Amino acid sequence: MHDKTLAELTRSLEAGEFSSRELTQHLLGRIDRLDGELNSFITVTYDQALAAADAADAARAAGKAGALTGLPLALKDIFCTRDVKTTAGSKMLDNFIAPYDATVVEKLAIAGTVSLGKTNMDEFAMGSSNENSHYGPVKNPWDLTAVPGGSSGGSAAAVAAGLVPAAIGTDTGGSIRQPAAFCGITGLKPTYGRVSRYGMIAYASSLDQAGPMARSAEDCALLLNAMAGHDLRDSTCVQRGVPDYTEELGTALSGLKIGLPREYFGDGLGPQVEAAVREAIKVFESLGASVREVSLPHTHYAIPAYYVIAPAEASSNLSRFDGVRFGHRCDNPIDLIDLYKRSRAEGFGDEVKRRILIGTHTLSEGFFDAYYKKAQQVRRLIRQDFLDAFEEVDVLMGPASPTPAFDLGANKDPVSMYLQDIYTIAINLAGIPGMSVPAGFVGQRPVGLQILGSHFTEARLLNVAHQFQQATDWHRQRPAFAEENA
Ligand code: GLN
């Protein structure tokens, strides 16, 4: 049961091979047995899950089942869930029970999914390894000495380990695609504005976007169908029809024009990662696609621009955690200033503090023009690079990350951690959609192929990934950890 895709599980549920309750119980049992070692969940919602599974089984019995009815999933702990602890991986919110559901949570519940709980993550989604969580690091099921990637590391590890068939993540600068790559699963960051951010704890509001993480592109399409759409409660969520993302799956790739950004194959790219990505591209050629080199000339500026813009927005968003309205409050403050200072000093971890300091500095008078405004201008150039490239080609392909999953503790220096995001960050600055798809291994550790498209071309990206998955079986590989502990 635990290594099937969502589409396969639906067929089993339809055929009556097992019920949603049985499936849910099986996976909750696996979480109990295996997650002590992995640490992919912060909260497991046993009772709610079984109640949702029973409701789904009743809906199916009444002939009212949809494409996702009764399918278990997990939610990154950045989505507010009513009556369930929502921590964003921070001590600051260790006592926070959200009073409402995020739009994405609500939509997935309406679609009949069964949430098993909330997954571990880097604190406030700041990180690339899941080592910044107040709840401890997550381990990579492919190799327990490696990180799962971040910030949606818990979501990625839980899917890879067969604890849940799919999970929801968020991606501000790579946090869906990079952990998907490191854990050998399929992840999609939609176009900015495609999915509502309402109820998703804000990190950098102009970059944050929620998306699906699953075992196949087809499953990502099924989930995006339920997640996407306009929301009056998020003014950046676009008013634009939601296609059926499964409809284009099956379109042949003959004539597809693939661009390989020169800047994504240069210095710093691990040779074995490059070899796996180039092999994957040959598969597309055999499916009838043509390949040419393109250039994204401002790629080099993406990390510096992002690490000005994202901390600036974070410093503003995180000002709400002041010990007064909600979240951690220090003991016995002597006055209001002491309350603010100590609550924040105690509640936030080092990386979050570092970003608040950077952001406050770059937004301050005298520095704003030199840093923040300049970074926004650079952002525009980066976006233009992509628009120009998509005049020539349909999709871009390259690695999701310069290396496979690195060892726990290997990137202690924050700048070396920031440099991990070289191939993912520009995509958020441009607002375009991107996926990571399993495309091989370096030793035991998976490699992700990144596929990028212009704004609102998720249907095409999903089909491109799906065609690759029809021709390869990288996405069907499972870590020994999941099998030995079946
Ligand atoms: N690693 C990047 C950061 O730390 C991206 C994180 C994310 O996408 N949430 O900001």
Side-chain angles (χ1 to χ4, degrees), residues 144-380:
L144 299 175
T145 64
V147 302
S151 64
S152 312
S155 291
V159 173
L163 305 186
V164 69
I168 308 305
T170 63
D171 190 314
T172 303
S175 282
I176 287 176
R177 290 159 289 152
Q178 186 252 24
F182 282 12
C183 290
I185 65 164
T186 305
L188 165 69
K189 181 205 90 77
T191 307
Y192 183 77
R194 179 71 291 191
V195 175
S196 171
R197 290 184 299 108
Y198 179 77
M200 202 171 102
I201 293 171
Y203 162 17
S205 311
S206 77
L207 301 159
D208 297 342
Q209 191 62 195
M213 305 174 78
R215 300 196 174 121
S216 69
E218 181 184 21
D219 286 0
C220 287
L222 290 166
L223 289 166
L224 188 62
N225 278 349
M227 294 168 70
H230 182 235
D231 182 2
L232 286 171
R233 296 172 296 187
D234 171 6
S235 60
T236 63
C237 191
V238 295
Q239 220 158 356
R240 184 180 172 115
V242 180
D244 176 351
Y245 289 103
T246 61
E247 222 155 60
E248 259 190 56
L249 303 180
T251 310
L253 297 189
S254 49
L256 182 81
K257 288 184 264 175
I258 299 174
L260 306 185
R262 186 179 312 144
E263 295 77 7
Y264 286 30
F265 289 88
D267 285 350
L269 175 59
Q272 290 167 292
V273 173
E274 173 164 5
V277 168
R278 293 213 185 263
E279 276 307 307
I281 287 159
K282 283 191 197 147
V283 173
F284 287 100
E285 286 181 302
S286 75
L287 295 174
S290 64
V291 177
R292 75 178 79 160
E293 194 179 85
V294 296
S295 178
L296 302 169
H298 297 93
T299 298
H300 188 62
Y301 301 107
I303 289 184
Y306 174 92
Y307 280 101
V308 171
I309 293 167
E313 295 185 15
S315 76
S316 166
N317 275 325
L318 271 54
S319 64
R320 71 189 58 154
F321 302 106
D322 56 6
V324 176
R325 286 163 289 184
F326 49 80
H328 176 74
R329 178 179 295 175
C330 68
D331 290 332
N332 309 317
I334 49 173
D335 58 21
L336 186 62
I337 298 297
D338 184 47
L339 168 80
Y340 290 154
K341 277 191 183 163
R342 279 203 290 126
S343 298
R344 287 169 69 82
E346 292 166 9
F348 291 137
D350 289 349
E351 185 58 30
V352 173
K353 286 178 186 158
R354 186 175 298 119
R355 307 241 183 148
I356 292 172
L357 288 171
I358 297 170
T360 308
H361 178 71
T362 58
L363 289 176
S364 59
E365 195 178 341
F367 295 101
F368 179 87
D369 285 345
Y371 294 115
Y372 186 73
K373 197 167 154 207
K374 187 61 90 191
Q376 291 289 22
Q377 290 165 335
V378 171
R379 177 178 191 171
R380 183 74 196 192

Side-chain angles (χ1 to χ4, degrees), residues 25 30 34 49 103 110 141 157 165 169 199 239 297 301 324 345 356 367 419 426:
Q25 274 171 330
R30 281 179 67 81
L34 303 179
T103 297
I110 290 170
Q239 220 158 356
Y301 301 107
V324 176
I356 292 172
F367 295 101
L419 293 172

